[in-house]
Amino acid sequence: MKNKERIAILTGGGDCPGINAVIRAVGKKAIIEKGMEIIGIEDGYHGLVNNRYRKLIYEDLSGILTLGGTILGTSKIANPYRYAVKKRGKLEFQDLSKKAIENIKKLGVACLVCIGGDGTLWIAHSLYKDGVPIVGVPKTIDNDLRGTDVTFGFDSAVRIATEGIDRLHTTAQSHHRVMIVEVMGHHAGWIALHSGIAGGGDIILIPEIPYDIRCIVEKVKERNKKGKRFSIVVVAEGAKPKGGDIVIQRIVKESSDPIRLGGIGFVLGEQIEKMTGIQARTVVLGHLQRGGSPTAFDRVLATSLGTKAVDMIVNKKFGYMVGVDGRKLVEVSLEKVAKGARTVPLNHPLIRSARSVGTYFGD
Ligand code: F6P
């Protein structure tokens, strides 16, 4: 009897709603239509380096469509090409890519499906260049991947942030305060832009448009004069003042991308309160935006991306990621994806629309 063809699935980087829906889509289609065997690599690239994996049967893939997080575990730190190892209490980085590649070869898989954002897919591209057959699936709440109009997880994060803004609106109105909502978005302001528009934010601050605090203060004062005795500021964690810098919360030494942001909301809150005399409060939504069940949109997107990834495996379209272009699914080379973050273009129609309804970007 012929051995079943095997594929492996790995989830890397920050988790987000919809990862399990992709695992389910890839696995179910591969089992039902192609009679394949599925291997789940545990904890992202940690599992690849340390040979940790488990077989996923149909039952493992059932009942996970709506489940947040990833059943396989993930890591934002593990990078086979720069793997953090502690030796006599000291941190050092080793290139363990050969070991990772040997492990995947030993598994005898026809393809490794890498579900991840820019970091994960950058590593996937390197593994592909080193001979591993890879298909990528775009995942990140930040929506900042090149080669796709949208990533799954983004819609869910925007929904969570919008709900947060809606709730803060009523308390801002009651107390005549400035409420600052800090959302995720390291290099790109997609979450702030979308949730800011959806939640009717008065001021939206994104990394792509450095702000001037004096102009923000003027805007708040002007609203007050007009009888709007509250203001909502939606700020991306990566926003910065003109000529100034981002606010770093911590450095994760083991990570290839060690900077973790957070705190710009508190800086702004203090400045606005001091300069306007109006009370300000800050809420940092943080990892809430990555948790819980995916929206209907993300479930549908995850299912489309996952099933398309199986077609790409069958057609041996390795070194490519499934992306979205308008309403179509497209195949995008990982080389293109690995070229850095997709930021919000300054002439983006949504920025124009927001400005047209009086939303201020701090510039
Ligand atoms: O990459 C997704 C992301 O959510 C960023 O927006 C955020 O800066 C970062 O992850 C937070 O990372 P961690 O999980 O290490 O705190």
Side-chain angles (χ1 to χ4, degrees), residues 14 76 140-142 184-186 237 252 260-261 287 290:
K76 284 196 75 166
T140 166
I141 63 162
D142 295 342
M184 280 187 171
H186 194 141
E237 61 184 352
V252 183
R260 297 293 181 271
L261 301 180
H287 296 81
R290 294 217 313 240

Side-chain angles (χ1 to χ4, degrees), residues 113-134:
V113 178
C114 291
I115 304 171
D118 54 352
T120 303
L121 295 180
W122 185 89
I123 296 167
H125 180 235
S126 305
L127 289 170
Y128 168 70
K129 284 192 291 183
D130 285 340
V132 181
I134 304 256

Side-chain angles (χ1 to χ4, degrees), residues 306-321:
T307 50
K308 167 79 178 170
V310 177
D311 291 336
M312 289 164 68
I313 297 170
V314 172
N315 297 330
K316 299 199 178 345
K317 199 77 200 225
F318 303 132
Y320 279 76
M321 174 191 89

